[in-house]
Amino acid sequence: MRIPLLPALLAAVFLSTGPAAAATPQSETLLYDHIHLAVPNPPEAAQWYMDHIGGEPVDGRPDRMLLGTTRFIFQQADDRRPSTGSVFDHLGFSVADLDAVLSDLESAGATITSPRRDVDGLFPLAFVEDPWGVRLEILEDPQHLGFHHIHLRSPEPEATRQWYLDQFGGVRTPLRGRLDGILYPGNVWVLVTEGDAFPSTEGAIDHLGWRAPEMNTKLEEYDGKGVEITRGPMDLTFVNGTIEFFFIAGPDGANIELVERAPNMR
């Protein structure tokens, strides 16, 4: 099913950055779909996030949750490296009361690695590490509460941004006029910091996922572009519908999934 995403996306840009933002749409824009986190006990981790970050159960499974339009899916894996320094360095969540959430997270077993600081022109923020090594940026952006952004690391940030625009579209526009980023439907930013990185499959953030409205079309497109298909296509059935999916190799060891969901699945 093809959704007219661009008008909603442009509206989200102005809600998030103000009318002065310069929005530049690229190729076909895909809905941001999910994040896969690697943890020893998926149901335990999913419940921890629902209790302390937000979200609700989805797909009739105890190993996943839905926050806004983004699924957080927890896969069983032992001995993963903390996400800090990986190609998917950290995830950002915006909350209404930063201090209260930081206190709650610390009481629940998270480690505050960088205490609250107020960044001029941006928002108050702090960094924590969840009990399984996922680095989280907790921030207070009242214009954009909930799941806020994904922060990548790359030795070549500009080339990386262009690759994501070429494969998934999006609107390239500065976050609060300060941080060069790409905004996707679902109101999710992708930001990139310069630095060496290790592959995502070695870290606690295993992969990212975008929604492919037409699976076969995307497979043909990526094949024509020379994008490496690393797994699939495959399918999986849940109580609320069936998905088809495949994986591609992104820059700097990024593991990325494209998924087509049944029309009745949120």
Side-chain angles (χ1 to χ4, degrees), residues 181-196:
I182 307 169
L183 185 61
Y184 288 95
N187 217 16
V188 176
W189 290 89
V190 170
L191 308 172
V192 188
T193 293
E194 185 172 0
D196 292 333

Side-chain angles (χ1 to χ4, degrees), residues 6-7 22-23 61 66 75 81 87 112 123 127 149 151 167 172-174 178 184 189 201 204 215 242 250 255 262-263:
L6 191 56
R61 294 275 295 267
L66 186 69
Q75 66 183 59
R81 299 168 65 177
V87 62
I112 297 178
F123 24 68
F127 285 92
H149 68 264
H151 217 122
Q167 310 316 323
R172 184 170 181 176
T173 185
R178 296 264 319 259
Y184 288 95
W189 290 89
T201 51
M215 179 68 59
T242 297
N255 188 28

Side-chain angles (χ1 to χ4, degrees), residues 74-93:
F74 300 84
Q75 66 183 59
Q76 201 285 322
D78 296 311
D79 302 322
R80 286 293 186 97
R81 299 168 65 177
S83 67
T84 304
S86 81
V87 62
F88 304 146
D89 183 86
H90 67 269
L91 308 177
F93 296 89

Side-chain angles (χ1 to χ4, degrees), residues 29-234:
T29 291
L30 304 184
L31 174 70
Y32 189 77
D33 188 80
H34 71 270
I35 291 171
H36 245 93
L37 305 180
V39 299
N41 187 325
E44 177 185 37
Q47 190 61 55
W48 188 91
Y49 269 77
M50 285 188 282
D51 289 344
H52 304 290
I53 298 293
E56 59 181 309
V58 71
D59 299 333
R61 294 275 295 267
D63 59 352
R64 58 194 61 209
M65 71 175 201
L66 186 69
L67 182 57
T69 60
T70 302
R71 281 169 167 77
F72 290 79
I73 304 169
F74 300 84
Q75 66 183 59
Q76 201 285 322
D78 296 311
D79 302 322
R80 286 293 186 97
R81 299 168 65 177
S83 67
T84 304
S86 81
V87 62
F88 304 146
D89 183 86
H90 67 269
L91 308 177
F93 296 89
S94 178
V95 299
D97 188 335
L98 177 58
D99 293 330
V101 171
L102 289 175
S103 177
D104 177 64
L105 290 173
E106 190 171 32
S107 297
T111 301
I112 297 178
T113 57
S114 179
R116 175 190 173 126
R117 59 191 175 98
D118 294 359
V119 181
D120 187 38
L122 286 176
F123 24 68
L125 60 88
F127 285 92
V128 309
E129 190 173 277
D130 79 6
W132 305 279
V134 179
R135 188 183 191 209
L136 307 176
E137 181 178 350
I138 311 299
L139 56 102
E140 197 173 292
D141 180 359
Q143 296 178 344
H144 181 169
L145 297 175
F147 182 44
H148 193 273
H149 68 264
I150 304 152
H151 217 122
L152 313 184
R153 285 176 63 89
S154 171
E156 299 181 272
E158 181 56 33
T160 294
R161 279 187 286 265
Q162 191 59 53
W163 187 90
Y164 280 81
L165 286 165
D166 289 345
Q167 310 316 323
F168 315 119
V171 174
R172 184 170 181 176
T173 185
L175 173 58
R176 292 287 184 95
R178 296 264 319 259
L179 300 177
D180 194 358
I182 307 169
L183 185 61
Y184 288 95
N187 217 16
V188 176
W189 290 89
V190 170
L191 308 172
V192 188
T193 293
E194 185 172 0
D196 292 333
F198 61 85
S200 64
T201 51
E202 297 178 11
I205 305 175
D206 184 88
H207 66 268
L208 310 181
W210 271 264
R211 188 82 60 90
E214 296 172 359
M215 179 68 59
N216 291 335
T217 300
K218 274 295 166 191
L219 281 165
E220 292 174 5
E221 175 189 329
Y222 290 154
D223 184 59
K225 289 179 175 179
V227 175
E228 181 185 0
I229 310 297
T230 57
R231 289 175 57 200
M234 299 169 280

